[in-house]
Amino acid sequence: SAEMPLREDLQAGTVNGAPPWFIRNGQGGNEWLPATTQQPGQAVPYEILPPEEMPHVVNPDGGFFVNANNDPAGTTRDDDPLNQTRPTGGILYLSPGYDGFRGGRITEMIRAELGRDGTISFEEMQAMQADVTLLDAEALAPHLIAAFDGAAGGTTPELAALAGEPRVAEAIERLRSWDRTTPTGIPEGYDAVDTDGALSTPSDDEVADSVAATIYSAWRSRVIANTIDATVDGLGLARPDGDVAIADLRHLLEGYATNRGVGASGLDFFVEPGAASPEDERDLLLLRSLAEALDRLAGPSFAAAFDGSTDQDDYRWGRLHRVVLDHPLGGERSIPPAGGAFAQPLPGLPGIPTDGGFNTVDASGHSGRALDANGFMFGGGPVRRFVGEMRPGQRSRTESALPGGTSGQVGSERYLTLLRQWLTNESYPQVLSRGALQGTFVDE
């Protein structure tokens, strides 16, 4: 619904100077075009992308659409946001990158549910909102596992040596059996499988998935550092944000048979002089990143969480993935400690341990480059989980969930009334009409 000004260089089919996602010099050649065609209700005095060319969908064939900050038109699908053209000529540019993993996972779940019986129930939609599967792990972890499996066939000594390390082999087997979910794996952790805010002892499967989530997340950080960051840092270029870096890495790995690690820019992101082949370059960087991640998990950076342990069973995700609901005035008002009403569950580790992770549907993201005990924390999450079902001739069914409580006053019993249920993905009826409200509240 916004207005997208057209740029003179892009409209001429080229890029003059820095690409449009950087600050441009403003010296001409890449300015916004003055308006010559006024669109209905237009506010800015520049030529804008016509509304019919803005991303939109009408009566989608699948019967649904997904909006989760993902790429709505597919302009970044091939990792090049500048190679689409407008019907009338010129480059169609919308944005250099999006959060595509949440939208992708939602689409995946909707298609799976519709494939079963053609319907999605109210409860199934709520379960989707509670999903904590790492879609980027579905895309990237198989490449790491394949690197390990193929290491014996390589001719680079370091590659075989890495695959021969028992700790690397153990980590790979954990990732191989992992279902890509992110449970806390600790009794102090809040998970969607818990009920009504009450904690439970994690199952053996939850513990195993929790450890795998930790290992993968630490590896993700190191492989970004060793490929994307090492390349752009060496050229003095700005690093892409985590979402874009992971999308870049996925694009490079999935097309490695043809691109050999070289991006659209012409840069080679998998440079390893000691490798005997391009495939060994790739596999060496992937496995070395895993070994470095294990070093870090057992080292000082994670000592507050794992106390220097080399036992991978100790690497529980809930000891890293923690939320603090920050109050604008900070201090005791934040949760925890909520003025003493909600104590910090893990001594020495701030925040509340909860499931989720990087770009999960149940939003609980952190930096894609996180690599210390407090780097995987987050300070937000779903400000409202809402599901509505419109029923012809009947009152609509609506349920919601909010974090915190109904009072903003520290010390009030209602300051965090809703918190535990929000942490375990419970909901309550959402009243939408004045008539339905009558008689539901009493004076305090």
Side-chain angles (χ1 to χ4, degrees):
S1 62
E3 295 178 356
M4 175 71 75
L6 298 176
R7 298 155 174 83
E8 55 184 331
D9 57 337
L10 301 190
Q11 189 56 20
T14 187
V15 175
N16 187 334
W21 51 86
F22 289 113
I23 298 175
R24 310 181 101 186
N25 62 20
Q27 299 301 307
N30 53 29
E31 301 284 8
W32 290 347
L33 288 167
T36 58
T37 304
Q38 196 75 12
Q39 301 292 338
Q42 182 173 332
V44 300
Y46 304 102
E47 197 74 5
I48 64 172
L49 193 67
E52 62 269 19
E53 293 185 48
M54 293 289 281
H56 65 280
V57 61
V58 178
N59 294 331
D61 292 338
F64 69 92
F65 69 90
V66 170
N67 178 14
N69 299 327
N70 48 292
D71 183 345
T75 59
T76 61
R77 184 177 300 161
D78 62 355
D79 211 32
D80 187 346
L82 294 173
N83 63 352
Q84 284 75 221
T85 57
R86 297 184 55 218
T88 57
I91 296 172
L92 173 64
Y93 167 70
L94 298 175
S95 173
Y98 300 83
D99 171 4
F101 293 104
R102 295 180 70 243
R105 175 59 181 161
I106 295 167
T107 302
E108 183 179 77
M109 289 189 291
I110 289 176
R111 286 176 176 166
E113 288 294 347
L114 292 177
R116 293 186 179 95
D117 61 6
T119 67
I120 297 176
S121 71
F122 193 95
E123 290 73 21
E124 286 167 344
M125 184 60 71
Q126 288 181 314
M128 290 183 197
Q129 290 186 339
D131 184 75
V132 290
T133 301
L134 292 179
L135 188 61
D136 71 295
E138 291 184 9
L140 299 183
H143 293 284
L144 173 59
I145 295 169
F148 175 84
D149 291 342
T155 56
T156 301
E158 186 185 351
L159 184 58
L162 281 169
E165 290 189 31
R167 60 178 188 148
V168 170
E170 178 185 349
I172 289 291
E173 292 313 307
R174 290 178 181 275
L175 295 175
R176 198 189 302 275
S177 59
W178 178 37
D179 67 1
R180 314 306 189 227
T181 60
T182 54
T184 64
I186 57 176
E188 303 91 344
Y190 289 83
D191 294 87
V193 297
D194 296 329
T195 303
D196 201 25
L199 301 181
S200 60
T201 301
S203 67
D204 291 344
D205 287 343
E206 287 178 287
V207 169
D209 290 333
S210 169
V211 171
T214 297
I215 293 171
Y216 171 80
S217 297
W219 170 78
R220 182 209 290 124
S221 302
R222 289 309 306 158
V223 76
I224 290 174
N226 289 333
T227 55
I228 306 298
D229 292 352
T231 303
V232 298
D233 288 355
L235 296 171
L237 300 175
R239 293 179 176 180
D241 67 28
D243 294 328
V244 175
I246 293 172
D248 292 345
L249 184 61
R250 176 184 180 183
H251 178 74
L252 291 167
L253 289 172
E254 290 182 350
Y256 203 88
T258 55
N259 64 37
R260 292 292 192 266
V262 177
S265 62
L267 296 176
D268 186 350
F269 291 88
F270 288 79
V271 177
E272 184 52 57
S277 68
E279 290 75 19
D280 279 8
E281 283 186 310
R282 173 197 61 199
D283 295 349
L284 184 55
L285 283 169
L286 295 180
L287 286 179
R288 183 188 294 154
S289 297
L290 177 59
E292 291 174 0
L294 295 173
D295 287 340
R296 294 290 292 249
L297 289 170
S301 298
F302 287 88
F306 305 132
D307 198 26
S309 175
T310 59
D311 185 347
Q312 293 180 19
D313 281 333
D314 291 336
Y315 299 159
R316 308 294 176 87
W317 181 235
R319 296 190 65 79
L320 299 180
H321 190 249
R322 310 181 306 274
V323 61
V324 174
L325 299 183
D326 291 313
H327 192 283
L329 299 179
E332 290 292 305
R333 297 172 177 83
S334 297
I335 308 175
F342 197 109
Q344 185 174 299
L346 300 173
L349 295 171
I352 306 167
T354 183
D355 57 359
F358 184 84
N359 284 347
T360 56
V361 175
D362 190 13
S364 51
H366 53 79
S367 168
R369 295 178 171 87
L371 204 56
D372 60 47
N374 291 330
F376 297 90
M377 295 176 62
F378 65 107
V383 296
R384 183 190 185 201
R385 297 189 188 100
F386 175 86
V387 175
E389 182 181 15
M390 306 299 107
R391 299 181 290 189
Q394 304 178 55
R395 178 174 292 173
S396 300
R397 180 185 177 188
T398 53
E399 293 189 11
S400 187
L402 297 171
T406 57
S407 170
Q409 178 63 45
V410 177
S412 166
E413 63 178 12
R414 300 186 184 279
Y415 189 62
L416 42 73
T417 314
L418 304 174
L419 177 62
R420 288 178 174 83
Q421 287 74 19
W422 178 79
L423 288 167
T424 60
N425 291 77
E426 316 298 337
S427 62
Y428 55 83
Q430 178 74 65
V431 180
L432 298 180
S433 70
R434 183 179 298 273
L437 278 171
Q438 293 177 352
T440 62
F441 294 101
V442 296
D443 294 334
E444 295 185 3

